[in-house]
Amino acid sequence: MLQSLANLAAVFAQPAAFAFPATLAQADAGHQTPAVAHAAAAVLSVSEHFSWPVALIPIFPIVGVLLATVLAIFGNKSKLPAFLTVGCLAASFACAVKMYLDCTGGLGGTPSAPYTVHLFEWINYAWGGAPGQRFVADFSFYVDTLTCLWMLFVTGLGTLIALYASEYMSHDVGTGYCRFFAAFNLFVFSMACLVMGDNMILLFLGWEGVGLCSYLLIGYFYKKPSAVAAAKKAFIVNRIGDIGLSLGVMLTFVHFGSVEYSVIFAKAQPYLEAARQGDWLAIPASVSVIPLLLMVGAFGKSAQLPLYVWLPDAMEGPTPVSALIHAATMVTAGVYLVARMLPLFVLNEHALPIVAWVGSLTALFSATIGMAQFDIKRIMAYSTVSQLGYMFAGLGVTTAASLTAESAAAGPYHVFTHAFFKALLFLSCGAVMHGFGGQLDLRKLSGVAWMPGWKIVGFGMLVGCLNLSGFPFTAGFFSKDSILASAFSNPHLEIIGWILLVTAGLTAYYTFRVFFRVFVGPQQFEPGDEAHGHDDHGHDSHAHDAHAAAPAAHGHPHAGKADNADKAAHADFHPHPPGIAINVVLATLAIASLVIGGAAIPYMNHWVEGMVAHGSTGLAITAHAAGEAHTAGGHDAKFFGYDVHKAMMVVSSVVGILGILVAFVLHKQGRTTAAKSKADELLPLLGPLPTWAQNKWYVDELYNFLICVPLWVASHIFHLIDKLLVDGLVNTIGWLPRGLGWSVRPSQSGVLNGYAVGMASGIAIIFVLAIFMLR
């Protein structure tokens, strides 16, 4: 396995000729296999040329920020900010498509070598002439196929979600509307800097930018305490992870003398050779620590154990925020970081296995919570945490196992497919919330897909659920299958494969639990009871009818308990189906998910593999090198005597279908009301486990007890120390001259009688002292 590890690690680097001394390159070539040496030689130069399409990708979102700001200043009361945002992001997407075509040579073409696009000099500081005494971080973009992969769905989904938000946020037309789309554009710009930057400082700028935008968008309803608390929670937890990232960036510069990818990967070549030889002691401890620090940042941004708690609470933000930031783009930044910096991760023999274990455990743990929730958006949030765990596991096990181009594509491929169907799921849930007065409880909704005007929403939800469940021949099926096959290909990490397989079954169950409870079955509903409109800053509630807030139950068995006012209000409530903008976006995403997962899946699979193989952190595998890696990899692995890839297609299909059938029996078959299902009868048999899962295994309470309360107590103790000891000492020193002055102040009153009495008293005292002294 170490031989395979080093073979791929050696070709993962993207060194630049100007940063890699020729003598060192020749020395390394003498220790490499011919295939690896040939592959490494093919990437020893990273060209630099200017490309307008690449340069314009981040510029258009910034233009959108400025336009939205100007409209807010002039008091705009129309949907113009949304339409301008859609136009800017659509132009950015067109540029991303042109970048992809230029980088890959067109559809079906061979990916070209990576290149940089320099916009302007940003940071260039030297404090000496010796190596490592110059800090360079230009505003330049590093273009390879990994960059293209990410920017295609960041800009493409950003455009669609902005169109969706134009209708969804229409209740708030005005200053709030402009504020929303300004932050929306700023987020896409930050994501572009994070993904496209050619150095770690520009990546860090985008990293912090998306964190800021996440705070602004999650807390959009800033008068609602829960939204404000969720925004602060997301910001603080992400800052904990960012400590690791910032330290990793600093340590990278300290050791390699640069933060530019091409220079770092070039200088890592000797260590990659040591890893190939299994000589881990030859790799300095400082280099081995770098991936561990970067890992902390990745786990925080991508909501992995133990830093996952912020993402479910982030559902307090408007649904377009959930779809854009917390389903497809921002939360995948941690996955991108690991993929981009993979040459450094392979320099620590424990780094990638840790990534795989944390990812798999996160996937399973969050799936158990998602099974017990009743808020459909929160269920999708825990699903996102679980699928992010799948992505990390895919990166960890595939790279540590066979290290072929095919297996290395598993994690990024799941990122690509997940972006489409998870955005579709969130937006479908948001459409339901939008039309039913903010209602999200699956026990109060049923048969939505059969109601007039809701067919597209129901179809979109079905397509998203099939993908998320890994139903055969969907995009989610193929991307999950590649991760599972890679896990079972490595005998040292086979247990991770079993964890992910169990998680796949749980995912299919809780996904179709939502579909069978909300979208099919008897037609019943109870509208939400939250405040509406921007003035009240209700929780993502956007019903257009004033009476939509009435808490009553249409056809609900408990409706008789409502008072007459509630009954009257509910009698007037009619759920309003989504308009043309929401339906167009849902239909587009549903079709895109089907195209990716249907007849085009073999081509898409090959396309993503090729993109990652030629672009992911410099995996420039030539045909000969790829063939050698394929032979040395895990393709001969067996699962109970069968080829692991073919076996996983069958096993994962059976597991997914079994989960769907269980959900059908427990939540669809025989259900006559929205509130009750057969599953309720099984809950007593499970003891306290359902209650614990519904309360998220009390992790938030545990964190509060172990971290928040001790910090609160310590802060009050230090407050008392500061007040009584520090301030007391300062105040005492300040009081001494003040007290002295106060004591002598009466003697300087300016009253002549007082001076006379003082003189007489002084003379008397002197007289008395003289008498005593003479004795």
Side-chain angles (χ1 to χ4, degrees):
M1 187 186 76
L2 293 178
Q3 179 70 26
S4 298
L5 172 64
N7 283 346
L8 190 70
V11 298
F12 253 42
Q14 295 264 27
F18 60 85
F20 196 1
T23 54
L24 182 57
Q26 294 168 359
D28 277 347
H31 294 284
Q32 294 171 343
T33 64
V36 175
H38 181 59
V43 295
L44 279 178
S45 62
V46 178
S47 61
E48 179 179 324
H49 65 271
F50 189 79
S51 171
W52 273 113
V54 176
L56 289 174
I57 291 176
I59 291 178
F60 281 119
I62 281 295
V63 172
V65 174
L66 298 176
L67 292 175
T69 303
V70 171
L71 290 174
I73 293 173
F74 285 96
N76 174 76
K77 297 291 184 180
S78 69
K79 291 186 178 181
L80 187 57
F83 298 142
L84 292 175
T85 297
V86 172
C88 289
L89 297 185
S92 186
F93 173 66
C95 292
V97 172
K98 183 63 168 64
M99 176 179 68
Y100 158 69
L101 295 175
D102 292 343
C103 187
T104 60
L107 293 175
T110 302
S112 61
Y115 62 91
T116 61
V117 176
H118 180 81
L119 265 67
F120 57 87
E121 186 177 285
W122 184 28
I123 301 175
N124 194 333
Y125 176 72
W127 57 93
Q133 293 186 340
R134 187 180 190 88
F135 188 87
V136 177
D138 292 333
F139 209 93
S140 301
F141 299 138
Y142 187 86
V143 181
D144 62 2
T145 45
L146 184 68
T147 303
C148 295
L149 176 70
W150 243 265
M151 290 311 301
L152 281 175
F153 67 76
V154 167
T155 55
L157 286 176
T159 303
L160 291 174
I161 296 171
L163 179 59
Y164 179 100
S166 67
E167 177 183 337
Y168 193 89
M169 303 298 294
S170 60
H171 71 289
D172 210 11
V173 168
T175 304
Y177 201 71
C178 297
R179 173 168 57 90
F180 176 86
F181 284 100
F184 195 104
N185 281 288
L186 184 60
F187 168 82
V188 177
F189 167 77
S190 301
M191 197 70 193
C193 292
L194 189 158
V195 173
M196 298 175 63
D198 82 328
N199 60 80
M200 300 181 75
I201 299 300
L202 192 52
L203 177 143
F204 191 76
L205 171 69
W207 191 278
E208 295 303 307
V210 296
L212 170 64
C213 294
S214 175
Y215 171 79
L216 296 175
L217 292 171
I218 295 171
Y220 176 77
F221 300 114
Y222 58 85
K223 292 184 179 180
K224 190 168 189 289
S226 60
V228 174
K232 291 191 293 185
K233 187 175 184 178
F235 193 81
I236 293 171
V237 174
N238 273 274
R239 296 294 75 72
I240 295 173
D242 292 352
I243 293 174
L245 176 61
S246 59
L247 292 175
V249 173
M250 296 174 192
L251 188 57
T252 300
F253 176 77
V254 168
H255 186 86
F256 292 102
S258 176
V259 292
E260 296 176 293
Y261 298 141
S262 56
V263 179
I264 295 169
F265 300 154
K267 292 185 177 181
Q269 285 295 302
Y271 307 134
L272 293 169
E273 175 63 18
R276 186 182 73 83
Q277 299 293 341
D279 186 9
W280 300 104
L281 295 179
I283 301 175
S286 59
V287 175
S288 299
V289 171
I290 291 173
L292 300 179
L293 293 173
L294 298 180
M295 192 187 304
V296 175
F299 290 163
K301 190 68 73 179
S302 292
Q304 298 296 286
L305 288 172
L307 302 176
Y308 75 96
V309 292
W310 68 269
L311 194 146
D313 288 359
M315 296 304 105
E316 291 290 338
T319 295
V321 175
S322 304
L324 175 70
I325 298 181
H326 308 115
T329 51
M330 171 183 159
V331 291
T332 65
V335 182
Y336 174 82
L337 177 64
V338 176
R340 175 60 74 194
M341 303 305 295
L342 208 52
L344 299 187
F345 274 80
V346 298
L347 299 181
N348 185 320
E349 61 178 326
H350 303 297
L352 288 171
I354 292 174
V355 170
W357 275 106
V358 171
S360 60
L361 293 176
T362 301
L364 177 62
F365 182 76
S366 55
T368 60
I369 299 177
M371 292 174 61
Q373 301 303 304
F374 297 104
D375 185 309
I376 58 177
K377 269 185 68 176
R378 196 167 291 271
I379 293 171
M380 295 305 155
Y382 280 106
S383 169
T384 298
V385 177
S386 182
Q387 296 307 302
L388 288 167
Y390 249 92
M391 298 167 198
F392 276 104
L395 279 172
V397 300
T398 55
T399 306
S402 60
L403 296 179
T404 63
E406 179 182 355
S407 62
Y413 182 35
H414 195 52
V415 172
F416 184 78
T417 59
H418 176 267
F420 287 92
F421 65 73
K422 183 51 67 67
L424 177 60
L425 287 169
F426 267 115
L427 296 181
S428 297
C429 292
V432 173
M433 186 180 189
H434 184 265
F436 287 87
Q439 185 58 264
L440 286 171
D441 194 329
L442 58 80
R443 297 167 296 184
K444 299 178 181 180
L445 295 168
S446 181
V448 172
W450 311 131
M451 297 179 185
W454 292 91
K455 299 296 188 298
I456 293 178
V457 178
F459 176 73
M461 191 70 183
L462 177 61
V463 172
C465 288
L466 289 173
N467 275 275
L468 181 56
S469 300
F471 193 80
F473 306 109
T474 61
F477 165 74
F478 283 97
S479 57
K480 280 187 177 182
D481 169 69
S482 60
I483 294 175
L484 289 169
S486 299
F488 282 106
S489 296
N490 186 347
H492 301 289
L493 297 176
E494 188 174 338
I495 184 63
I496 288 179
W498 289 107
I499 293 174
L500 296 178
L501 196 59
V502 171
T503 302
L506 299 181
T507 301
Y509 167 76
Y510 69 69
T511 301
F512 272 88
R513 171 175 173 256
V514 173
F515 182 78
F516 289 138
R517 292 293 294 263
V518 175
F519 290 89
V520 296
Q523 296 186 36
Q524 298 177 359
F525 65 86
E526 178 179 340
D529 56 355
E530 297 160 341
H532 297 271
H534 174 65
D535 292 338
D536 294 327
H537 289 285
H539 168 65
D540 199 12
S541 304
H542 308 295
H544 295 258
D545 301 314
H547 52 262
H554 177 71
H556 196 283
H558 301 291
K561 297 180 180 180
D563 57 26
N564 292 333
D566 287 340
K567 290 180 180 179
H570 176 61
D572 294 334
F573 178 82
H574 299 286
H576 58 89
I580 185 172
I582 290 179
N583 280 329
V584 166
V585 172
L586 294 179
T588 303
L589 285 174
I591 294 172
S593 298
L594 289 175
V595 170
I596 292 173
I601 193 67
Y603 171 75
M604 291 299 299
N605 197 16
H606 172 73
W607 171 61
V608 178
E609 287 172 9
M611 293 188 75
V612 177
H614 291 79
S616 179
T617 64
L619 181 55
I621 298 182
T622 62
H624 181 49
E628 181 179 291
H630 184 281
T631 303
H635 262 262
D636 295 331
K638 300 294 182 181
F639 183 82
F640 292 102
Y642 296 93
D643 177 78
V644 67
H645 291 269
K646 295 179 180 179
M648 280 302 105
M649 294 183 70
V650 177
V651 173
S652 61
S653 297
V654 171
V655 170
I657 293 174
L658 184 61
I660 295 174
L661 290 177
V662 172
F664 177 82
V665 172
L666 295 181
H667 297 283
K668 171 61 174 69
Q669 194 176 47
R671 184 166 58 86
T672 58
T673 67
K676 297 293 184 180
S677 67
K678 291 182 180 179
D680 298 327
E681 302 172 3
L682 301 178
L683 294 181
L685 302 177
L686 300 176
L689 292 179
T691 302
W692 294 350
Q694 289 171 14
N695 288 281
K696 302 168 287 186
W697 301 110
Y698 298 99
V699 173
D700 286 286
E701 288 79 4
L702 179 64
Y703 284 0
N704 183 67
F705 177 76
L706 295 179
I707 300 174
C708 298
V709 171
L711 288 176
W712 182 86
V713 172
S715 65
H716 279 275
I717 292 174
F718 286 121
H719 168 70
L720 291 176
I721 293 175
D722 179 70
K723 182 178 181 180
L724 300 178
L725 182 61
V726 179
D727 288 351
L729 182 61
V730 172
N731 292 336
T732 299
I733 295 175
W735 182 85
L736 289 176
R738 181 182 175 187
L740 181 62
W742 175 82
S743 63
V744 300
R745 183 172 57 188
S747 64
Q748 304 297 322
S749 63
V751 179
L752 293 178
N753 294 339
Y755 291 157
V757 171
M759 293 174 63
S761 299
I763 293 172
I765 292 172
I766 293 172
F767 180 76
V768 171
L769 290 175
I771 293 174
F772 278 100
M773 291 177 66
L774 291 176
R775 288 182 181 181

